[in-house]
Amino acid sequence: MPWPQSESDGGRCATSHGRLGVPCVVRADRIGDRVPVFASGRVHSVFEHACNIETRTGELVTLLAQDLGNVPHGIRLAGPVAPFEPWLIPGQNAILDKVALRVSDAGMTVDLSGAAVWRGGVAAVAIDTRNATRAVALRELRTTLYECAPAQGFAPLLAAPASTRSSVDRAVAARLSHTLPLLARATEQRDVTAVAAAAARLVGLGPGLTPSGDDFIVGYLAALWSRAGHENGIDAMLHSLADSLAPLFLRTNAISRQMLSDAAQGRFAERLIDVTGAVAGMGDVVDATANALASGHSSGADTLCGLLFGYAPDMAMLAAPSSPHRPPGQPHLRAARLERRAGRAAALA
Amino acid sequence: MSATLVKIVAREYRDSVSLMQLSAMLGKLPGVEQASAVMATENNLALLAEAGLRVDAKGAHASDLMIVVQGEKSALPAAIEEAMKSLTRQTEDNGGEARAALRPRSIQMALKVAGEANMALISTPGDYAAAEAMKALRLGLNVMLFSNNVSVEEELALKQFAREQDLIVMGPDCGTAIINGTPLAFANVVKRGPVGAVGASGTGLQQVTVLVDRLGSGISQAIGTGGRDLYQEIGGISMLKGLKDLANDPATQVIVLISKPPAPQVAERVLAEAAKAGKPVVAVFLGADPASIARKGVHAVKTLEDAARAAVAIVKGEKPRDSYADMPDLPAGLPKFADSQRYIRGLYSGGTFCYEATLLLGELLAEVHSNTPTRNAHELADVWQSHHHTLVDLGDDVFTRGRPHPMIDYRLRTERIVKEAEDPQTAVILLDVLLGYGSHMDPASEFVPAIHRARTAAASQGRSVAFVGQICGTAADTQDLARQSRALTEAGMLLTESNAQAVRLAAAIVAAGVLPRGGH
Amino acid sequence: MSTLFQEGQRIINVGLQSFADSIAQAGGKSVQVDWTPPAGGNRAAGWSLAQLLNHPSVEQANEKAYAAFLAAQPVLAGIGVAREQLPGMRDRMVLHAGPPIAWQEMCGPMQGAVIGAILYEGWAADADSARRFAEGGTIAFEPAHHHGAVGPMAGVISPSMPVWVIENAAGRNRAYANMNEGLGKVLRFGANSPEVIKRLRWMAAVLAPALAAALAKFGPLELKPLIAQALQMGDEVHNRNAAASSLFLKKIVPAALHSGFDADAIADAVTFIAGNDHFFLNLSMAACKSMLDAAHGVPGSSLVTAMSRNGVRFGIRLSGTGEQWFEAPSPVVGGLYFPSYGPEHAAQDMGDSSITETAGLGGFAMATAPAIVQFVGGTPQDAIANTREMRHITLGRNNAFTLPAMNFSGTPAGIDARRVLDTNITPIINTGIAHKEAGVGQIGAGITRAPLECFTQAVIALGSQLGVAVPGVARPNPT
């Protein structure tokens, strides 16, 4: 007579019991709508609160700790989570199906059965320069961005002259001052080729695990998708752009590529979506901006630069507010709110 | 000439904060002008070229991490190595710090590491010091117990056990020793030689060993016993042991004993032992009448200086004098004192110096007040306020509560110097300056400004004050005796060879100064 | 000549670092001690400690006790029933892990396990009446240690349960342990549902007899060589037992198959054991108890012969101080928690399994099981460093258990309570972490340390046994 099986043995994997000698099952509460239904692959990269799994087809599915916002290709875990790093190692095999994500080499199973699907589409907003509310919202976005942005990435270069910076920073600033006006004009004229050409100058550019240029492009696309419902020609441009941009995305790393690819399809991270919602009048702009700045190191700021630019492609709009002038990163009331809101910097980039 | 070096790390994914920290760390390295840690994308490669950084990154992919440093050519390989170390450390450090090698946590552990050890020097808080000393003794080590706040009972238990094991406990409250030529705690660098010393006073040992060195001889061993060793309760256990060890030490030709007068029975035991030592013993029990101490084999003297001089005389084969207390010639150019200036104000950091000074001054002058009073001097009523001739031990508990000892922190003393100079009754300010390990790194740097301030203050009221003192130090001490001497002399201080001489000189000046003299 | 005047010797500096610096500057040699007040600052304990260091009676006693420990040869002699095997076991008695504790004080998982045992014994029909029965006062609750036994986690052993019987071939003393139920919802984590009880009954009715038959066929099974082999395969036989469990299975299966016992029972028993990577843990614990019991009871000895926790208190015993337990609150373990769990869910450290560390295995052999340190974000170098650190508080090395990662040197074994106090290095323990609610199970694993306070009390007790006096305290300026 076999011994009675325990009900909680669910998730036991075929091979070893992993590091701790016991199998473990965790539950997911959200699954992004871009996560494939079936896939097999390997662990690609592991960070403290996130882990990327690369599928055979080259997509990246991201396992997220609870305190991070959702992303289109993400599976977010319910409940507090130990750091991923001792558990998961790049190269471990992973299998994804409707019910679970299993990383057998780590003895870990993510139970997807209770996870709700999360859709990362932006809020539609009409940017009408005659609309005072929109203008105020954009100004608040800009002010918060420049007051709270870190010293890396595009934000400080756009805010202040780069004369005292390193030669690398000066080169980045030079590129931006050359490329962004081209991008502005191309957007105005709905010129897909020109937009792609400008994007080509930005892809993979700058510091960060997701380079600043990539974050900027994502923000820019978010703004366009946001405007698409209310302004002529943007919708069509975006659809053509998806094809034109795809080859460019190969010029950056896999993590950034997935993010860009989702953006080209109109799917964005939760915190970025919240900012678009706030600009559209559905939330507090300062809070949403502060929240978005809390993710990554300069990723959030670079993305918001792109967003701002996408809403109002205009170097003047992008420049730091003239009054009252504060160099980027100075503490301020808004920064205090940022700190209260910020958890750990997201390891997504 | 600026150069660039690049390192590609394949398939390296690091979160942005780590990359930023890496860049920042590299940028601060010596010789590095700028540093970047970025993904090796096409655009970043192009960017570097635009920035004037020539890098060879053939075969690099967008998934690779590129570390670029620009700066002095010779500094760059080390910078890249630092970067690689940092990356590996980050991998290893996942949540935890690399553990440093374990230092010995106990005397027993240290003994395993040390190999040959014969002594433990213990300076833990007093509450724990006795237990540590006991452990050391149980492990066969001699003990120097620097800590104070050890009880008499603990001291007795330690010394009795040490005696059974034929080991010595130097202390508690033993601030000075020189063993096998190594100065320990507060001690001076002196030449090796045939004079051995055992003392219950730290500064007493310092004075004698320094003088022996300056007189051209040297010290075999200088053993401290702690201030209470010669009390009735302890019975002189450590002094007897030290005496015995020096008697048996072939390198020691003369033994000097230094203390305040022991309890009578203890004194007897010690002196009886000294008489049997088989080599000459010089004893200075400060405050005792030498006649009461002297016996066959023991040459008794009155001052620390006398002890040093007598010992050196014996070494040279001369007959030691009973006293070397020549009254000094007054130097030329003494200040003209005002009528009100009548008194000596002694500001001491060494308690024994203050005590010796009180003894001597009490014989020479009337109305001497001190916080280390003797038979012929009064107890100082208010330590913060001088009255008539006043000698103050600034190392007394009342001054040192909550602040470092005056041998290290001169603030109280320099303030008091100025205050005394402002007092119209002050004629002479008497000081001791201690060099050697444990003492202030540059006493002159503190005294000279204070002396100037004091002079200015006195001068503004039409007075001149004399500064007299001694530097207790040798040419080999790290503070540079010659430079200290020069600086203090230039500031107008009159320096003597010893504390006793300084006291006699001060007394002579005051006695002479009662009559007005020609100014300088 | 006085030893003080021997040239070229080092000076051991305890206290101000500047003194050591000056000695070096002056051309002398010194060793700086990284000193903190020993015994956690307890002066009386510090003085007792100082008197006991290098004390001839203690040194002699330790030599004797340690020799008995090293010479022990634990052998698996067979399987029995608790009621019949355990000395002093009575009909209405329930044993538990750790030092003595009353029902009301017990933590959740232990109470849950007790309830399970009551149901298993048939003393009550359901959980509620079982609880009332436990509260009623008719059950005698005693430490398993007091009856020659050990059990992991709650460590609950009741009269009808099957027990391993280990005999020390060198000393003739016997030790016992319950059998490991496996993972998931099990009695030792406080689960007491019908399936748990069913499993326990199966173990008594099928597993134990099958194993008994196999063992009868195999003959006495020496445990030290098996453990030694397992150590060289990455086990430390506390938190990692996979190799040892496999080696055990390898020995037992042929004997089982040839024993002539019921084939289906054999098949189920073997399948059960094969599915449990921690099956050997209870045997490892009993073997360690056997070795340490052989060293227990030498007057004057400061060798630690037991470390154990009941989920509320951590207790130790010394060879020289008899049956006395020296206790302190049991720590909450810092370690790696399974996702969705954290320290706020954890029970305090629990179980007799720290008997393995007491014998120089488990955390003391961490160098050979580096995967363990990842629980607290460490590296294989940390594992080696941990084992090395334990050398400073043990009497010697047990060369029966050698560690490849440390050049095949023996594990540090024989904890000397004096050295723990003197260095403030406390024994390191690898442990699983239970949920504080009964029946939830394991929620993580980690590394913890035995509380210093236990050793402080132990040394004071040993000191007074040897007549050590504490002289008066100096208090010239009370602060």
Side-chain angles (χ1 to χ4, degrees):
Chain A
M1 176 190 83
W3 71 102
Q5 282 263 26
S6 173
E7 275 146 19
S8 73
D9 279 354
R12 183 176 297 222
C13 304
T15 53
S16 78
H17 290 263
R19 247 154 256 256
L20 292 166
V22 285
C24 84
V25 179
V26 295
R27 279 180 33 251
D29 71 351
R30 291 285 185 279
I31 179 163
D33 67 340
R34 299 269 298 166
V35 175
V37 177
F38 293 102
S40 70
R42 289 180 193 272
V43 174
H44 171 271
S45 46
V46 185
F47 305 92
E48 205 185 347
H49 293 269
C51 164
N52 293 308
I53 293 166
E54 188 174 30
T55 70
R56 296 261 158 79
T57 54
E59 286 175 273
L60 236 53
V61 174
T62 307
L63 210 52
L64 297 161
Q66 168 66 207
D67 54 340
L68 297 186
N70 286 291
V71 295
H73 260 86
I75 295 173
R76 198 178 69 177
L77 303 179
V81 148
F84 284 119
E85 269 146 343
W87 292 75
L88 297 163
I89 304 177
Q92 288 171 330
N93 288 306
I95 298 179
L96 175 65
D97 59 38
K98 269 213 297 220
V99 175
L101 167 67
R102 288 169 232 271
V103 185
S104 49
D105 296 334
M108 183 178 188
T109 300
V110 182
D111 174 6
L112 303 174
S113 57
V117 173
W118 177 81
R119 260 170 249 291
V122 293
V125 61
I127 300 296
D128 179 350
T129 46
R130 286 163 304 196
N131 184 328
T133 323
R134 296 288 162 263
V136 164
L138 289 182
R139 268 205 299 282
E140 290 219 287
L141 169 58
R142 185 180 69 181
T143 312
T144 312
L145 166 61
Y146 283 117
E147 280 174 356
C148 307
Q152 260 211 330
F154 286 173
L157 301 177
L158 293 167
S163 55
T164 54
R165 293 179 178 278
S166 67
S167 61
V168 173
D169 283 341
R170 289 201 300 276
V172 174
R175 238 191 216 220
L176 290 176
S177 61
H178 179 253
T179 309
L180 294 185
L182 294 175
L183 182 57
R185 190 156 56 241
T187 311
E188 215 57 41
Q189 294 167 357
R190 312 289 189 256
D191 183 347
V192 173
T193 316
V195 168
R201 302 271 296 154
L202 297 174
V203 166
L205 179 76
L209 177 57
T210 53
S212 300
D214 296 350
D215 292 319
F216 186 92
I217 293 171
V218 168
Y220 165 80
L221 288 172
L224 286 192
W225 276 89
S226 185
R227 292 164 58 189
H230 291 264
E231 295 177 50
N232 290 330
I234 294 188
D235 204 41
M237 178 170 77
L238 285 171
H239 280 104
S240 304
L241 257 183
D243 293 330
S244 308
L245 291 177
L248 295 181
F249 298 158
L250 294 170
R251 302 186 196 171
T252 188
N253 69 67
I255 296 170
S256 221
R257 179 160 57 246
Q258 184 64 74
M259 179 183 71
L260 286 163
S261 163
D262 287 338
Q265 305 295 325
R267 290 285 184 266
F268 302 89
E270 189 171 8
R271 293 190 183 162
L272 182 55
I273 290 169
D274 289 344
V275 177
T276 63
V279 168
M282 298 176 299
D284 179 63
V285 174
V286 173
D287 275 354
T289 307
N291 231 5
L293 285 170
S295 46
H297 182 63
S298 50
S299 273
D302 293 329
T303 313
L304 291 172
C305 284
L307 184 75
L308 201 50
F309 187 80
Y311 279 134
D314 178 349
M315 287 307 283
M317 178 49 125
L318 211 48
S322 53
S323 68
H325 176 68
R326 278 188 185 80
Q330 282 284 343
H332 189 249
L333 283 174
R334 288 194 175 84
R337 278 161 89 176
L338 168 69
E339 267 156 46
R340 270 205 299 283
R341 188 167 299 278
R344 277 169 288 250
L348 279 179
Chain B
M1 198 56 236
S2 213
T4 311
L5 195 55
V6 69
K7 172 86 180 168
I8 308 286
V9 189
R11 286 194 65 89
E12 188 74 15
Y13 295 103
R14 296 286 171 147
D15 67 86
S16 302
V17 177
S18 305
L19 293 177
M20 187 272 301
Q21 284 169 346
L22 180 58
S23 302
M25 182 273 288
L26 291 173
K28 291 203 191 96
L29 291 176
V32 175
E33 281 161 33
Q34 64 170 329
S36 288
V38 292
M39 302 306 286
T41 57
E42 283 175 40
N43 265 331
N44 275 341
L45 288 167
L47 187 74
L48 290 176
E50 284 162 33
L53 299 173
R54 306 251 148 264
V55 294
D56 174 20
K58 274 206 181 43
H61 297 116
S63 52
D64 300 337
L65 177 63
M66 178 166 59
I67 302 172
V68 188
V69 285
Q70 182 199 39
E72 275 169 54
K73 191 157 181 206
S74 54
L76 300 182
I80 294 291
E81 204 183 300
E82 265 312 303
M84 294 313 292
K85 263 194 235 157
S86 172
L87 287 175
T88 339
R89 209 180 305 131
Q90 282 185 32
T91 324
E92 284 170 2
D93 269 7
N94 273 338
E97 293 279 87
R99 198 103 61 89
L102 196 63
R103 285 220 291 194
R105 301 272 287 267
S106 68
I107 297 177
Q108 192 171 35
M109 259 175 90
L111 203 49
K112 282 210 192 95
V113 172
E116 304 254 89
N118 63 348
M119 197 181 119
L121 169 50
I122 296 168
S123 55
T124 64
D127 277 349
Y128 309 105
E132 294 305 314
M134 177 56 86
K135 286 183 213 167
L137 291 170
R138 297 203 78 97
L139 291 166
L141 299 168
N142 295 284
V143 172
M144 177 172 172
L145 189 46
F146 177 85
S147 314
N148 55 4
N149 279 329
V150 173
S151 74
V152 171
E153 293 89 347
E154 286 171 327
E155 180 175 352
L156 185 61
L158 287 172
K159 288 183 173 174
Q160 283 173 336
F161 184 77
R163 186 167 54 192
E164 286 163 31
Q165 309 293 318
D166 201 27
L167 297 166
I168 192 170
V169 175
M170 296 187 279
D173 206 10
C174 172
T176 304
I178 306 174
I179 304 295
N180 298 329
T182 306
L184 299 173
F186 291 74
N188 302 82
V189 181
V190 299
K191 295 192 287 289
R192 235 26 221 286
V195 178
V198 191
S201 151
T203 34
L205 268 178
Q206 285 188 271
Q207 173 86 115
V208 169
T209 54
V210 159
L211 285 176
V212 165
D213 174 283
R214 296 225 292 246
L215 291 166
S217 185
I219 299 292
S220 58
Q221 311 281 355
I223 298 169
T225 64
R228 283 191 308 230
D229 190 60
L230 298 169
Y231 285 20
Q232 182 65 34
E233 300 95 313
I234 306 294
I237 295 176
S238 291
M239 181 159 279
L240 289 166
K241 168 78 163 115
L243 186 46
K244 190 177 77 162
D245 284 346
L246 290 176
N248 292 333
D249 176 31
T252 302
Q253 291 172 24
V254 184
I255 300 170
V256 179
L257 302 179
I258 304 157
S259 173
K260 290 191 191 169
Q265 286 180 321
V266 181
E268 270 315 301
R269 222 176 292 145
V270 169
L271 292 168
E273 203 56 47
K276 289 192 302 194
K279 44 187 87 159
V281 174
V282 176
V284 53
F285 291 164
L286 287 171
D289 177 12
S292 70
I293 304 170
R295 63 196 60 201
K296 190 159 193 308
V298 178
H299 182 81
V301 294
K302 202 162 101 177
T303 69
L304 299 166
E305 179 184 13
D306 286 348
R309 287 190 186 274
V312 174
I314 294 172
V315 165
K316 289 192 183 148
E318 297 158 11
K319 186 173 185 319
R321 280 158 50 182
D322 286 338
S323 165
Y324 293 83
D326 305 317
M327 277 309 274
D329 292 325
L330 289 179
L334 280 178
K336 175 183 155 81
F337 291 130
D339 285 343
S340 61
Q341 291 178 274
R342 295 167 168 278
Y343 298 124
I344 295 169
R345 301 286 156 81
L347 306 174
Y348 282 94
S349 61
T352 303
F353 288 148
C354 188
Y355 186 74
E356 187 181 53
T358 308
L359 279 170
L360 292 174
L361 210 58
E363 286 171 2
L364 295 169
L365 298 173
E367 281 293 331
V368 175
H369 299 252
S370 165
N371 66 340
T372 60
T374 60
R375 244 185 0 259
N376 45 14
H378 305 279
E379 167 97 50
L380 185 58
D382 177 3
V383 297
W384 297 97
Q385 178 61 51
S386 296
H387 181 70
H388 287 97
H389 299 294
T390 297
L391 301 168
V392 189
D393 168 21
L394 290 162
D396 184 81
D397 275 349
V398 73
F399 295 113
T400 58
R401 201 157 288 141
R403 48 155 74 85
H405 195 275
M407 270 166 78
I408 309 159
D409 179 353
Y410 282 23
R411 220 169 358 123
L412 251 179
R413 203 138 67 123
T414 51
E415 281 164 15
R416 188 70 176 253
I417 287 172
V418 176
K419 182 176 166 180
E420 297 300 344
E422 286 167 351
D423 182 346
Q425 299 191 314
T426 302
V428 179
I429 294 180
L430 196 48
L431 299 168
D432 62 347
V433 182
L434 279 141
L435 305 185
Y437 284 107
S439 296
H440 196 287
M441 286 311 302
D442 186 357
S445 68
E446 302 264 6
F447 278 127
V448 168
I451 292 173
H452 281 140
R453 280 202 312 277
R455 285 197 188 288
T456 310
S460 71
Q461 291 163 7
R463 296 191 305 277
S464 280
V465 173
F467 287 86
V468 178
Q470 60 126 356
I471 303 181
C472 180
T474 68
D477 279 328
T478 53
Q479 287 92 344
D480 192 349
L481 173 65
R483 190 170 64 79
Q484 296 290 320
S485 234
R486 247 189 336 265
L488 291 170
T489 308
E490 273 166 28
M493 193 161 160
L494 298 163
L495 293 173
T496 63
E497 281 298 300
S498 70
N499 183 47
Q501 277 194 39
V503 173
R504 288 191 292 263
L505 179 56
I509 291 172
V510 157
V514 168
L515 307 164
R517 289 177 55 91
H520 63 104
Chain C
M1 180 168 73
S2 159
T3 55
L4 187 62
F5 298 163
Q6 273 165 11
E7 301 271 346
Q9 305 272 302
R10 272 187 201 276
I11 296 166
I12 295 177
N13 191 43
V14 188
L16 301 171
Q17 169 86 47
S18 59
F19 287 166
D21 297 339
S22 299
I23 290 170
Q25 208 182 341
K29 294 190 286 191
S30 71
V31 182
Q32 176 71 21
V33 171
D34 207 359
W35 183 87
T36 47
N42 182 322
R43 278 192 81 254
W47 189 263
S48 278
L49 169 65
Q51 301 274 51
L52 293 175
L53 209 70
N54 237 1
H55 192 296
S57 305
V58 179
E59 299 301 318
Q60 267 173 39
N62 282 349
E63 242 185 77
K64 184 166 168 212
Y66 192 59
F69 165 76
L70 289 177
Q73 281 303 332
V75 169
L76 175 56
I79 293 175
V81 178
R83 177 186 294 108
E84 287 152 27
Q85 295 293 330
L86 269 47
M89 191 69 178
R90 292 200 310 279
D91 235 352
R92 283 278 191 270
M93 181 177 277
V94 173
L95 306 181
H96 62 79
I101 186 165
W103 163 260
Q104 317 80 275
E105 270 196 289
M106 287 181 189
C107 66
M110 189 173 277
Q111 286 193 338
V114 167
I115 288 170
I118 292 169
L119 293 171
Y120 168 77
E121 294 290 335
W123 299 336
D126 58 68
D128 285 330
S129 41
R131 177 172 287 277
R132 283 194 299 277
F133 191 77
E135 286 163 5
T138 46
I139 300 181
F141 292 107
E142 296 201 359
H145 263 292
H146 290 190
H147 298 268
V150 281
M153 280 296 158
V156 165
I157 301 176
S158 63
S160 312
M161 291 185 184
V163 290
W164 298 109
V165 179
I166 276 82
E167 184 163 306
N168 174 11
R172 297 274 145 240
N173 53 298
R174 282 188 162 201
Y176 310 88
N178 56 359
M179 291 190 168
N180 198 289
E181 310 151 76
L183 303 160
K185 300 261 180 267
V186 289
L187 189 78
R188 72 176 183 279
F189 284 106
N192 52 34
S193 61
E195 75 189 38
V196 174
I197 310 302
K198 209 165 153 202
R199 190 194 295 113
L200 287 172
R201 296 222 166 93
W202 173 83
M203 286 166 74
V206 179
L207 179 66
L211 282 171
L215 285 172
K217 184 74 187 165
F218 185 89
L221 172 50
E222 282 185 338
L223 293 174
K224 255 165 106 164
L226 195 156
I227 292 173
Q229 211 183 339
L231 286 179
Q232 311 222 341
M233 292 164 68
D235 273 5
E236 31 78 285
V237 298
H238 180 168
N239 247 358
R240 280 196 100 65
N241 297 284
S245 301
S246 305
L247 291 169
F248 177 77
L249 199 59
K250 216 163 82 109
K251 291 203 190 298
I252 216 69
V253 165
L257 292 173
H258 286 109
S259 67
F261 200 76
D262 174 63
D264 286 333
I266 298 285
D268 290 341
V270 165
T271 314
F272 177 81
I273 298 172
N276 181 2
D277 270 351
H278 288 290
F279 188 73
F280 191 82
L281 172 61
N282 301 44
L283 284 167
S284 140
M285 287 168 59
C288 292
K289 174 151 178 71
S290 164
M291 294 188 267
L292 288 161
D293 278 355
H296 188 74
V298 180
S301 167
S302 59
L303 174 65
V304 177
T305 48
M307 290 197 294
S308 190
R309 329 67 121 212
N310 57 28
V312 176
R313 286 184 295 279
F314 192 112
I316 71 167
R317 281 175 149 182
L318 298 188
S319 171
T321 50
E323 302 312 294
Q324 205 178 349
W325 285 98
F326 304 103
E327 302 176 36
S330 190
V332 170
V333 179
L336 187 64
Y337 285 87
F338 298 173
S340 305
Y341 293 111
E344 67 273 21
H345 303 113
Q348 286 162 269
D349 199 25
M350 183 174 18
D352 286 328
S353 54
S354 43
I355 196 76
T356 53
E357 276 81 12
T358 316
L361 301 169
F364 280 49
M366 214 190 292
T368 201
I372 295 286
V373 278
Q374 288 175 309
F375 295 158
V376 282
T379 65
Q381 284 69 36
D382 288 331
I384 292 173
N386 278 333
T387 291
R388 245 191 215 126
E389 200 188 22
M390 294 303 102
R391 284 180 178 165
H392 299 298
I393 57 171
T394 47
L395 290 171
R397 317 255 179 97
N398 190 343
N399 288 320
F401 305 128
T402 56
L403 306 174
M406 298 189 69
N407 254 334
F408 293 95
S409 62
T411 67
I415 302 169
D416 182 346
R418 297 172 301 169
R419 285 188 215 191
V420 173
L421 280 199
D422 200 16
T423 59
N424 283 320
I425 294 172
T426 43
I428 198 163
I429 299 169
N430 289 340
T431 186
I433 307 171
H435 197 288
K436 62 188 177 192
E437 282 165 30
V440 177
Q442 185 171 357
I443 61 169
I447 293 171
T448 188
R449 301 251 179 183
L452 190 69
E453 177 60 21
C454 299
F455 300 89
T456 307
Q457 291 175 34
V459 163
I460 292 177
L462 188 66
S464 58
Q465 200 188 75
L466 290 166
V468 161
V470 182
V473 176
R475 287 271 180 262
N477 299 309
T479 39

